[in-house]
Amino acid sequence: FAFSNVPRWAIASVLYFVYIAVVALFLPRLSARARVKACAAALCGCVVAAVATFTGAFRWRLVLLPPLTLLLAYWTSGLLWTGPTLRIERFLVRTDQAFGIIAIAARTPRLVAEALEFAYAAVYPLIPIAFAIHMLLGTDPDADRFWTVILATDFICFGMLPWIQTRPPRALEPGRPWTSRFRAFNVKLLGETSIGVNTVPSGHAAEAFAAALLVSTAPFPVNAVVWIAALGVTAGAVLGRYHFAVDALAGWLVALIVWLAL
């Protein structure tokens, strides 16, 4: 065993899950049951990172375990929810009102609304697709760097949840922002798989932007499609009222900073 062989994404993961465990132990108003569950989930995350460290199989180390860690990190962050911070929620609502987001969504043509709802859901396959593009078409493919950027970006977004606790705009606003048949799929998917609360910054927007940055050295037609997809994910998140505009902008900023740092 050599420490130099430890994937950077695994190191970042251990740091994140240790952070979650420490926060869970000391976060005010968190129930004892939630503390235990959060610490147990954090331990599971550390185990996954350890498995990645000691396995030499590429498909596990740099294909399957990183996205599993991402999902585990997201669900674990939701265990730290204690209740909305109303002052921050009001700020986010007022900012969207100032930007006219609800009015823009209401005027969005049906076909565009369907495309943006689809784009919002497409963030899930976008990450593995971007990984394949990065490895096959990028000028400097590095699987460990790819997942370190993606995961570190998400860890920052998820790690802010204990301190910025808000509900998604769709839970605060009456009715639907636009007419879309595909929206029913997204709402059902979120109802069954999401933590049910808002992350500031937006993990969706951050992931999509990070993926676009990571394929920026691929041939133009290919990276252009990923950039369009990233814009679509962000627009779908905001106009579909899954996230506030500030969430999305903050997510892009986090992704850019992590990408530049790494």
Side-chain angles (χ1 to χ4, degrees):
F1 174 78
F3 186 77
S4 59
N5 291 331
V6 179
R8 285 175 293 173
W9 72 261
I11 297 173
S13 299
V14 169
L15 293 174
Y16 171 80
F17 286 113
V18 169
Y19 161 79
I20 289 292
V22 171
V23 171
L25 291 174
F26 297 100
L27 187 67
R29 297 190 300 145
L30 192 66
S31 69
R33 182 178 180 182
R35 293 185 201 278
V36 171
K37 292 175 69 174
C39 289
L43 178 60
C44 290
C46 291
V47 169
V48 171
V51 170
T53 297
F54 288 100
T55 181
F58 180 86
R59 67 179 180 276
W60 285 103
R61 183 184 178 97
L62 293 166
V63 177
L64 300 176
L65 292 179
L68 174 62
T69 303
L70 189 157
L71 292 174
L72 184 58
Y74 171 67
W75 290 325
T76 302
S77 71
L79 298 172
L80 302 180
W81 170 264
T82 59
T85 308
L86 299 180
R87 174 174 53 84
I88 297 178
E89 274 192 353
R90 287 193 290 267
F91 166 75
L92 295 173
V93 169
R94 287 197 302 268
T95 303
D96 273 14
Q97 290 173 344
F99 288 155
I101 299 297
I102 297 176
I104 294 172
R107 293 195 300 268
T108 301
R110 171 70 177 272
L111 186 60
V112 176
E114 296 286 4
L116 293 180
E117 287 281 355
F118 177 80
Y120 176 78
V123 73
Y124 304 110
L126 177 64
I127 304 305
I129 289 172
F131 176 70
I133 294 171
H134 174 81
M135 295 302 295
L136 297 174
L137 301 176
T139 58
D140 186 23
D142 185 335
D144 185 25
R145 179 167 62 87
F146 179 93
W147 286 116
T148 304
V149 170
I150 292 293
L151 290 174
T153 296
D154 272 324
F155 292 161
I156 293 173
C157 295
F158 304 157
M160 292 301 296
L161 191 143
W163 319 116
I164 305 177
Q165 301 208 343
T166 63
R167 293 163 290 182
R170 69 182 186 278
L172 302 174
E173 300 164 357
R176 296 176 297 175
W178 51 26
T179 301
S180 167
R181 299 185 66 178
F182 196 84
R183 182 177 181 80
F185 171 81
N186 281 336
V187 172
K188 181 177 177 59
L189 181 66
L190 290 173
E192 295 182 355
T193 63
S194 83
I195 58 177
V197 299
N198 195 39
T199 57
V200 185
S202 162
H204 265 73
E207 282 179 20
F209 190 46
L213 290 168
L214 286 162
V215 303
S216 56
T217 61
F220 170 72
V222 177
N223 67 41
V225 170
V226 179
W227 275 104
I228 292 171
L231 290 171
V233 169
T234 303
V238 175
L239 295 177
R241 310 312 291 142
Y242 302 106
H243 276 285
F244 296 98
V246 170
D247 306 345
L249 293 173
W252 278 43
L253 180 61
V254 168
L256 178 61
I257 291 173
V258 172
W259 179 74
L260 289 173
L262 297 174

